[in-house]
Amino acid sequence: MENIVEIRDLSFSYPRSSKRSLDSFSLEVRRGESVGLLGPNGAGKTTLISFLSGLRPRSDDRVTVFGRPLHLLGEELLKIGYAPQELALYPSLSVHDNLIFFSRLACISKERQRAQVERVLEVVDLTSDREKRVAALSGGMKRRLNLAIALLNEPELLILDEPTVGVDMMSRDLIFERINDLRRSGTTLIYTTHYLEEVERVCDSVAMMNLGQLIYRGRVDLSILVQNFKSFANSLSLESDPDPQGQEI
Amino acid sequence: MIFRTLQISIQEIKVLFADRQALAILFLMPVLLILFLSLALTDIYHQKVGRHFQVVLLAHSKKIPEILHAKMKGYGYEILVDSAESQSIEEYVQLHDPEVVLELPQDLEALLEKRKDSVSTEKIKISFRPNLDQSYQDLIKAQLTLIFQSMVIDRVNEEILGSSDLGPGDPSAGKSVALRSFDHQTQLFEVVGKTKVLPNPLQQTVPAWSLFAMFFIVIPLSNSFIRDRKLGMFKRLLGYNVSKGELILGKVAPYIVINCLQLFAMYGVGRFVMPWLTDRGFVVHGDLGPLLIVTLVSSLAATSFGLLIASWARTAEQATSLGPLLVVIMALTGGVMIPHFVMPQFMQKLAHLSPLYWGLESYFDVFLYHTPVKAMLYNIAFLFGFALITFLLAIYRFRWNDDDGG
């Protein structure tokens, strides 16, 4: 099956930082695959996502999506759906106004806009809250709206950056349910989190990161993941083990 | 490109118009400032520009005030006559609070009316309103001395030359040939060289507070950028194939439009509302073209400054405290709050560091001096230079997100 995302030997440091946020990082994601990007705070997950979402310079040929470097994608970028970790919404505007704005940016034709907005509202169960100002929504509802915006353009690749932060149980279950619906429909998914349980629920495979490096890439198996993370942490503290056990990179 | 930039601009306007406080700061604040400061500063401007004094004459007879009236009119005084018989000068001041009031001694009146040949040592009593500038008090005393001296000389001339056929109110009455050329002081001098036209209170406050309000765009503009950065909005928008240039342009363009609306709203207040409240209207001699150019460049300076604050500040609190503070300092030094022409020389030089000074001078070029666009370029170039430098600094420091990894 073709690779949707290919990252080859990518390194990156933030200005005025001696630490590498990404250190010779490589990753391949196949079409229809659902990859959990797992790692603790500071692992480099969000930095990696920022390359895929276009925030970092797109001219880097080491990152390709749909088989082409990002800067050559043009309007194909609109086939990527992205829900950032922050609630990137306009709080003073209504749910509907937010969705209309992003549907326009996604170049959805006027005729399709209404249908798409209704569809995503239904997907995230916010149809009855469409006229509410975003500021008046609960944390969980905001998260669902954040997800809805990413779904507007029916993306082939969906990138979700910690989409359940600060969400109540009900909203969390709903989000997982919808993500699994998308998986079944063939959407390629990159899902960042630092919770193993979430990876288990919505991902086929996992890419485990720490300190900007890929420390495990393989199937979702709780025991293997725990073992890998522990051995990597040990290798760092003892500085003696060059080949951590159990890696399936 | 244009489509997405436009969508971002429309969205920015929607968000801004949902914030009533920001709109009040941008539109209501300058209107109130123009209204109250124009009224409050009227006296200060009158002290400097086109000053006319109202003088009350308390006299015992009717004839002397008539002669005085004619002479003092030549100096631009506005004369009111009242009787000194019914009230003393002290009583008059207490009751009426006049700007200047004179009480003539009866002896002097008798001398000037040829009823007496000598005058006692009783002096002319004069009272000034306490807030009248000391230099004006000295000037009025000097001018009145000259008037009374000329009246005495007229009287002496009459004695020497014999009675005249002319009446006492006639300015030529009783004058020797030599004195006829000295009607009043202003005929002695011819002003040469350039004289700068000073603005009236409205001509100062309308462009000054419009500029101030334009620079106050720093609050909503910087807050908008900081909010979008914190919310991860930039990350999201960049994912829609929107370039960083389009994004900045889309977000800044509405503020340029709002700056133009601010200027024209203030212009409307000065032109159509203020004449109802003050005796002076907002007299404008300029054309629309130069006005638009100055407004556009002023707006570029204001929005670039807002962008710089947005890129420097990490939080909205930092931006809303630092931005307005700097605007107030620039307004204070730039001649917005205290007119440039009343500043001491050192402050007048310091004003050149403020973009609001160059903006205000450019507006004076348009409103007051009717300067051709070519001649305005000097002031505009400084303003544009400020805009360019702040914009480049803002771009250099600009951060699209607050992440340090994760």
Side-chain angles (χ1 to χ4, degrees):
Chain A
M1 203 173 275
E2 65 170 318
N3 285 333
I4 290 282
V5 176
E6 277 187 30
I7 300 166
R8 297 253 173 262
D9 205 25
L10 182 64
S11 294
F12 177 78
S13 299
Y14 284 94
R16 292 183 292 276
S17 170
S18 55
K19 191 183 91 175
R20 278 190 170 183
S21 294
L22 290 174
D23 190 1
S24 303
F25 188 91
S26 298
L27 180 72
E28 288 174 2
V29 180
R30 292 187 304 281
R31 182 177 286 279
E33 189 181 4
S34 173
V35 180
L37 211 51
L38 185 68
N41 288 330
K45 305 186 296 293
T46 300
T47 307
L48 179 66
I49 295 301
S50 70
F51 275 91
L52 296 173
S53 63
L55 184 66
R56 304 276 157 225
R58 293 174 190 159
S59 54
D60 202 321
D61 284 352
R62 288 170 296 180
V63 182
T64 63
V65 179
F66 306 126
R68 291 155 72 183
L70 278 171
H71 64 99
L72 296 178
L73 277 182
E75 294 298 300
E76 275 186 291
L77 263 178
L78 299 176
K79 291 198 286 186
I80 303 173
Y82 170 53
Q85 190 177 329
E86 304 88 347
L87 293 164
L89 311 164
Y90 292 101
S92 56
L93 303 183
S94 70
V95 169
H96 183 259
D97 283 349
N98 270 273
L99 288 167
I100 287 290
F101 169 63
F102 286 106
S103 66
R104 285 179 184 152
L105 278 190
C107 294
I108 296 170
S109 64
K110 259 193 174 171
E111 302 78 56
R112 278 186 63 224
Q113 263 174 29
R114 184 176 293 196
Q116 284 298 86
V117 167
E118 292 305 322
R119 181 184 67 80
V120 296
L121 279 172
E122 208 173 305
V123 167
V124 297
D125 199 20
L126 284 176
T127 306
S128 57
D129 302 294
R130 50 185 297 153
E131 297 307 329
K132 278 188 186 167
R133 282 173 69 232
V134 169
L137 299 180
S138 69
M141 290 158 103
K142 285 178 191 167
R143 276 281 159 213
R144 283 187 267 150
L145 179 59
N146 209 30
L147 173 64
I149 291 168
L151 301 178
L152 272 169
N153 46 341
E154 295 180 89
E156 288 182 26
L157 170 65
L158 182 62
I159 302 168
L160 304 177
D161 194 0
E162 302 193 25
T164 58
V165 173
V167 168
D168 60 278
M169 285 288 284
M170 293 268 283
S171 289
R172 217 159 82 104
D173 285 343
L174 183 85
I175 289 171
F176 288 149
E177 206 177 301
R178 296 306 178 235
I179 291 171
N180 282 323
D181 288 345
L182 290 165
R183 281 172 68 194
R184 282 190 285 274
S185 69
T187 306
T188 309
L189 180 73
I190 297 178
Y191 184 105
T192 81
T193 181
H194 31 234
Y195 298 114
L196 290 172
E197 179 237 345
E198 290 191 2
V199 173
E200 265 196 312
R201 283 186 72 169
V202 295
C203 299
D204 313 314
S205 66
V206 66
M208 201 166 170
M209 295 179 74
N210 200 13
L211 300 173
Q213 293 176 326
L214 184 65
I215 56 171
Y216 172 81
R217 177 78 173 101
R219 62 196 167 88
V220 183
D221 185 314
L222 207 56
S223 60
I224 296 173
L225 291 174
V226 171
Q227 193 185 358
N228 269 279
F229 190 74
K230 276 183 181 169
S231 63
F232 185 78
N234 284 338
S235 74
L236 286 175
S237 58
L238 298 172
E239 294 179 351
S240 59
D241 189 353
D243 183 23
Q245 288 179 356
Q247 282 193 353
E248 291 183 18
I249 302 171
Chain B
M1 172 188 168
I2 293 168
F3 175 76
R4 288 200 178 102
T5 307
L6 192 65
Q7 291 304 325
I8 292 167
S9 294
I10 292 168
Q11 191 73 352
E12 192 68 24
I13 289 171
K14 272 187 183 174
V15 171
L16 184 65
F17 275 70
D19 185 354
R20 286 181 190 157
Q21 280 181 331
L23 287 179
I25 286 174
L26 295 179
F27 287 98
L28 196 59
M29 178 194 69
V31 169
L32 294 176
L33 285 170
I34 287 171
L35 182 69
F36 291 117
L37 284 162
S38 297
L39 295 172
L41 291 173
T42 303
D43 261 13
I44 289 177
Y45 280 84
H46 280 187
Q47 304 269 3
K48 294 282 179 191
V49 188
R51 189 74 165 94
H52 293 283
F53 299 99
Q54 195 181 58
V55 178
V56 178
L57 273 177
L58 295 180
H60 298 86
S61 74
K62 285 187 177 172
K63 196 179 175 189
I64 289 301
E66 278 173 24
I67 305 168
L68 263 178
H69 197 276
K71 287 195 172 280
M72 289 173 75
K73 259 198 156 181
Y75 285 90
Y77 289 107
E78 193 185 318
I79 317 289
L80 288 175
V81 181
D82 213 328
S83 168
E85 300 290 342
S86 56
Q87 60 203 321
S88 68
I89 188 168
E90 290 83 2
E91 287 167 340
Y92 191 89
V93 167
Q94 209 162 19
L95 281 172
H96 303 287
D97 187 30
E99 196 166 37
V100 185
V101 58
L102 287 176
E103 186 183 338
L104 303 178
Q106 271 180 316
D107 274 1
L108 181 65
E109 288 185 40
L111 176 78
L112 295 172
E113 286 174 12
K114 293 181 253 180
R115 285 187 281 108
K116 223 176 161 185
D117 288 331
S118 63
V119 59
S120 67
T121 51
E122 199 183 346
K123 290 183 175 171
I124 302 166
K125 288 183 181 172
I126 189 163
S127 173
F128 296 103
R129 193 180 280 162
N131 68 351
L132 186 64
D133 197 282
Q134 184 61 45
S135 58
Y136 281 117
Q137 294 188 21
D138 293 342
L139 175 70
I140 291 167
K141 279 192 278 189
Q143 286 179 337
L144 287 172
T145 305
L146 198 66
I147 288 168
F148 282 113
Q149 277 177 349
S150 78
M151 287 171 77
V152 171
I153 290 168
D154 288 350
R155 169 81 171 80
V156 172
N157 280 337
E158 272 181 46
E159 292 284 324
I160 297 167
L161 300 170
S163 60
S164 166
D165 294 337
L166 301 166
D170 192 300
S172 301
K175 280 180 187 163
S176 69
V177 176
L179 283 167
R180 274 177 199 158
S181 58
F182 292 152
D183 252 358
H184 50 74
Q185 200 185 24
T186 51
Q187 286 190 349
L188 283 175
F189 306 103
E190 183 194 343
V191 180
V192 291
K194 272 189 177 176
T195 51
K196 194 168 184 180
V197 181
L198 293 177
N200 70 31
L202 272 178
Q203 285 169 333
Q204 162 76 22
T205 53
V206 169
W209 293 106
S210 300
L211 263 174
F212 184 71
M214 284 161 82
F215 271 78
F216 246 75
I217 209 108
V218 66
I219 297 179
L221 191 148
S222 59
N223 277 346
S224 168
F225 273 88
I226 291 167
R227 183 191 59 229
D228 280 6
R229 190 168 67 211
K230 287 221 168 293
L231 288 175
M233 192 60 81
F234 290 142
K235 286 188 204 175
R236 175 158 253 166
L237 294 174
L238 289 168
Y240 282 90
N241 200 23
V242 178
S243 72
K244 289 174 180 174
E246 284 174 88
L247 195 42
I248 288 180
L249 181 65
K251 282 187 74 68
V252 167
Y255 294 96
I256 293 174
V257 174
I258 284 168
N259 276 168
C260 294
L261 291 177
Q262 281 177 306
L263 190 275
F264 287 109
M266 300 315 126
Y267 177 93
V269 168
R271 192 78 194 262
F272 303 112
V273 179
M274 292 308 289
W276 291 77
L277 303 169
T278 63
D279 56 341
R280 285 165 191 260
F282 181 47
V283 184
V284 174
H285 307 287
D287 299 326
L288 194 64
L291 181 63
L292 278 176
I293 293 171
V294 174
T295 303
L296 190 67
V297 179
S298 301
S299 180
L300 287 177
T303 47
S304 298
F305 178 69
L307 203 59
L308 180 64
I309 294 295
S311 62
W312 178 85
R314 285 201 167 267
T315 62
E317 288 75 18
Q318 281 180 351
T320 42
S321 54
L322 181 77
L325 179 71
L326 290 175
V327 172
V328 168
I329 290 170
M330 291 192 297
L332 203 61
T333 52
V336 167
M337 294 175 175
I338 300 160
H340 187 254
F341 63 84
V342 300
M343 288 179 178
Q345 211 173 7
F346 167 72
M347 284 301 290
Q348 287 195 353
K349 284 182 180 167
L350 194 70
H352 293 206
L353 294 176
S354 167
L356 277 85
Y357 167 79
W358 298 107
L360 200 49
E361 287 297 309
S362 302
Y363 277 121
F364 287 155
D365 279 346
V366 176
F367 289 143
L368 276 181
Y369 312 135
H370 199 32
T371 313
V373 177
K374 217 173 173 183
M376 288 165 56
L377 288 179
Y378 181 76
N379 290 332
I380 291 176
F382 273 96
L383 199 56
F384 187 75
F386 174 85
L388 190 66
I389 290 167
T390 44
F391 181 76
L392 291 175
L393 282 174
I395 296 301
Y396 174 71
R397 270 205 65 118
F398 203 83
R399 282 170 288 122
W400 293 96
N401 66 18
D402 282 337
D403 295 335
D404 293 315

